Amino acid sequence: MVPVVAAAVLVGLLVAPPLRGLIAYFAVPEGEPWCGACPLCGRTVRLLPPTGRCPGCRGRLGAGAGTVEAVAVAVALALASAADGPQTMALGWAGALGVALGFVDGRVHRLPHLLNLALVAGVAVLLVVAALAEGRPGVLLRCLLVALTVGALLELAVWARALGPGDSPLGFALGGLLGWYGWSVAFGGLFAAVVLAGLWATLRAAAALVRRRPVRGLDVPVGPFLLLGSLIAVLAG
């Protein structure tokens, strides 16, 4: 058990620097160009230390100090406890990119299509490899059907302007991954995401009322809750 925990912590710490780079690159408001370099000194940044500061000018970039590392380690530990088959690689890919997507959505309320595309493509390829390795090619049909169902449900919410355009492709990817475990796990993850997002929205509204601030306009980023709900469903399943 100790080696598994140590390995998970090490993996979380190793993936954190590139994840910080992705967060700094994509966490820009809608309509602005991606942040390919430090806005203060112009240095190209691909990896960032736990402080979240530019190695050149020490200006702050992306997420706060230690936050990405803490979340990456926590996700790695959670996935290590759920690792029980060849689909573990797909879980790891979704976990790593999920950390980046969650931070970006939390900061600027958007889920970049490039990150979503990388998530969908990686999950699809790794699930195919896992299904062939386990001799269960038939499970891929269920993964596809669950992905299409979850993606379609979220797309309806996008059309109703209840969600952002990046939420449905994220749901498609997560639905395909959860489809490996079955329909009940997939919809359990979706239900958990809705409950968590609703609870967060309620708490924010209550805090705004206590502080005598307007409640309207308190947009809730749904991406982090889709990711967290999916993780809970995998752990519970």
Side-chain angles (χ1 to χ4, degrees), residues 19-30 35 39 48 51-52 59-65 67-68 99-112 200 204 219-225:
L19 291 180
R20 278 190 171 278
L22 286 175
I23 294 166
Y25 183 80
F26 286 108
V28 295
E30 189 77 34
C35 182
L48 283 172
T51 59
R60 182 170 296 282
L61 292 172
T67 54
V68 177
V99 171
L101 283 163
F103 270 94
V104 172
D105 198 20
R107 287 176 64 85
V108 296
H109 289 210
R110 65 184 302 195
L111 293 164
W200 179 253
R204 288 195 64 191
D219 294 332
V220 176
V222 177
F225 298 104

Side-chain angles (χ1 to χ4, degrees), residues 117-191:
L117 180 61
L119 177 62
V120 171
V123 166
V125 170
L126 292 171
L127 284 181
V128 169
V129 172
L132 295 178
E134 205 170 67
R136 298 173 57 200
V139 74
L140 295 175
L141 177 59
R142 185 176 67 201
C143 290
L144 178 60
L145 291 175
V146 174
L148 291 173
T149 302
V150 174
L153 288 174
L154 295 181
E155 185 62 25
L156 289 175
V158 173
W159 288 348
R161 297 186 178 182
L163 296 179
D167 291 310
S168 55
L170 176 60
F172 178 84
L174 296 177
L177 183 59
L178 294 179
W180 179 277
Y181 300 92
W183 287 93
S184 60
V185 173
F187 284 104
L190 189 59
F191 176 76

